Amino acid sequence: MYSCSDHKSCLSDALYVADKICQKKGLRFTPLRKIILEMIWSNHEPSKAYDILDKLKDVNLSAKPPTVYRTLDFLLENGLIHKLNSLNAYIGCSHPLEHSECFFLFCQECKEIKECCNKELAKAINQTASNNKFQPMNVTLEIQGECQECTDKARL
Amino acid sequence: MYSCSDHKSCLSDALYVADKICQKKGLRFTPLRKIILEMIWSNHEPSKAYDILDKLKDVNLSAKPPTVYRTLDFLLENGLIHKLNSLNAYIGCSHPLEHSECFFLFCQECKEIKECCNKELAKAINQTASNNKFQPMNVTLEIQGECQECTDKARL
DNA sequence: TTTTATTATGTTATAATATAACATTTAAAG
DNA sequence: CTTTAAATGTTATATTATAACATAATAAAA
Ligand SMILES: [Zn+2]
Ligand SMILES: [Zn+2]
Ligand SMILES: [Zn+2]
Ligand SMILES: [Zn+2]
């Protein structure tokens, strides 16, 4: 679906921005944090915690679940990745710090995920919450379905 | 938050509707399915699978995880409950069969959940998907925050 | 520059959530 | 009835995540 023209630059951009953000916030972008972010950005598919752990064991034999979950927490807290609750999986944020009104389209066929932003939609969500006298703090919007490419392929 | 005026009728209505739906669809609303739906409707808070299992053990000593998960699957498949992915919890559907464009407001303070529907919002979501050439099949929209009542209480 | 405090990581154990696979029982259909 | 299908029972295990405490690395203070 997402067919980025040059995924190497997706990856290097993400790492560059993460580094900048950590500098700015006075956070430490340690080798562990960097390698896990790198793994998550290895493609545009969601990453599962224990898959990350398995990969991590290739470079760090003694890696264990807390190693991964703590790092995921760090990356989540600082907006560098998102958690996809309906998949129990994680994906790199495609524009850290810019804003938080993001949602996700994920294709059940090709597994790719697209992070989308839409002010109108964000407004509609806030409006609805407000109609219900509700103060939103954390919004999960995950849309599963099929992308155009996969729909086209299926028709052939 | 939800402060239904008479929860006994929430419960009995839900069971009545479930029964009707099962009849109409030729499904069996077995005692197990009924009691679990009843447990889920015991309040307007999300129910966790293993809490349901514990309660179930009071009436059926040999109950085990598959007992619960299979029943949850049945109730989910037939639209009688919803799963809240961001909580790994389940909640009774407040209007089974009517439509599927629902989303959830849940108050982190009082733990109550409100199922909401809003055609405009549903339209906005579909429009956004469509703008991305994406065919939505399953939408998760969960809004965590604070309800008016809890905000007011905190101010006192 | 040592000392101290803080943050990050290592390690062991276990909690919480969910499913696979196969056996038995119950109900529906023929 | 008898066969078939659906539901439930049962055992085992997979998957996801955290608690609690030990050690190491870095930063801040003295
Ligand atoms: Zn890319
Ligand atoms: Zn696709
Ligand atoms: Zn009620
Ligand atoms: Zn509340």
Side-chain angles (χ1 to χ4, degrees):
Chain A
M1 153 165 68
Y2 185 66
S3 53
C4 55
S5 52
D6 171 19
H7 188 63
K8 276 186 189 167
S9 65
C10 290
L11 176 59
S12 59
D13 289 357
L15 293 174
Y16 177 80
V17 170
D19 196 32
K20 283 285 161 213
I21 287 173
C22 288
Q23 274 181 21
K24 201 156 107 186
K25 290 197 188 180
L27 302 166
R28 289 166 56 200
F29 195 44
T30 63
L32 181 61
R33 289 165 177 173
K34 183 171 180 180
I35 199 173
I36 287 186
L37 185 60
E38 220 167 339
M39 286 171 179
I40 291 173
W41 270 105
S42 68
N43 56 37
H44 291 277
E45 295 178 20
S47 299
K48 310 281 286 179
Y50 277 74
D51 291 344
I52 292 171
L53 178 57
D54 285 342
K55 283 200 213 171
L56 194 58
K57 279 177 177 163
D58 291 343
V59 295
N60 176 352
L61 275 173
S62 73
K64 288 177 189 60
T67 316
V68 170
Y69 281 103
R70 273 196 294 231
T71 304
L72 291 174
D73 285 345
F74 171 88
L75 297 171
L76 285 167
E77 274 163 19
N78 295 293
L80 301 173
I81 63 171
H82 296 285
K83 176 168 185 181
L84 303 162
N85 288 309
S86 51
L87 297 178
N88 294 322
Y90 305 83
I91 188 93
C93 174
S94 54
H95 48 241
L97 284 199
E98 283 183 28
H99 58 85
S100 58
E101 310 88 17
C102 301
F103 57 94
F104 302 92
L105 296 171
F106 42 97
C107 176
Q108 293 168 335
E109 203 52 37
C110 66
K111 312 299 180 200
E112 292 212 350
I113 296 202
K114 188 171 184 179
E115 181 173 355
C116 293
C117 314
N118 181 324
K119 292 249 158 134
E120 293 305 309
L121 185 46
K123 220 162 108 181
I125 290 173
N126 285 323
Q127 185 59 54
T128 307
S130 160
N131 289 345
N132 285 278
K133 297 183 178 172
F134 195 87
Q135 182 65 43
M137 284 153 140
N138 189 6
V139 175
T140 295
L141 176 50
E142 300 172 4
I143 304 176
Q144 301 195 39
E146 199 171 68
C147 71
Q148 183 77 64
E149 285 87 338
C150 289
T151 302
D152 289 350
K153 268 184 204 157
R155 276 211 195 106
L156 292 180
Chain B
M1 155 166 67
Y2 185 66
S3 55
C4 55
S5 52
D6 171 19
H7 189 65
K8 276 186 188 167
S9 65
C10 289
L11 176 59
S12 60
D13 288 359
L15 293 173
Y16 177 81
V17 170
D19 196 34
K20 283 286 161 214
I21 286 174
C22 288
Q23 275 181 22
K24 200 156 109 189
K25 290 198 190 179
L27 302 167
R28 289 168 55 203
F29 195 44
T30 63
L32 181 61
R33 289 165 178 175
K34 184 171 178 180
I35 198 171
I36 287 186
L37 185 60
E38 222 168 337
M39 286 172 180
I40 290 173
W41 269 105
S42 67
N43 56 38
H44 292 277
E45 295 178 20
S47 299
K48 309 282 285 180
Y50 277 72
D51 291 344
I52 293 170
L53 178 56
D54 285 341
K55 284 200 214 172
L56 194 57
K57 279 177 177 164
D58 291 341
V59 296
N60 177 352
L61 276 174
S62 72
K64 289 176 187 60
T67 316
V68 170
Y69 281 103
R70 273 195 297 231
T71 305
L72 290 174
D73 283 346
F74 171 88
L75 298 171
L76 284 168
E77 274 163 20
N78 296 292
L80 301 173
I81 63 171
H82 297 284
K83 176 167 186 182
L84 302 163
N85 288 309
S86 51
L87 297 179
N88 294 322
Y90 306 82
I91 187 94
C93 174
S94 54
H95 47 240
L97 284 198
E98 283 181 31
H99 58 84
S100 57
E101 310 91 15
C102 301
F103 58 95
F104 301 92
L105 295 172
F106 42 99
C107 176
Q108 293 168 334
E109 202 50 39
C110 66
K111 313 299 180 201
E112 293 212 348
I113 296 202
K114 189 170 185 179
E115 181 174 354
C116 293
C117 314
N118 180 325
K119 292 249 155 128
E120 294 305 310
L121 185 47
K123 221 163 106 183
I125 290 173
N126 285 321
Q127 185 59 53
T128 307
S130 162
N131 288 346
N132 285 278
K133 297 184 178 171
F134 195 87
Q135 182 65 44
M137 284 153 141
N138 188 7
V139 175
T140 295
L141 176 49
E142 300 171 5
I143 305 176
Q144 301 195 39
E146 199 171 68
C147 71
Q148 182 76 66
E149 286 87 338
C150 289
T151 303
D152 289 350
K153 267 184 207 160
R155 277 209 195 111
L156 292 181

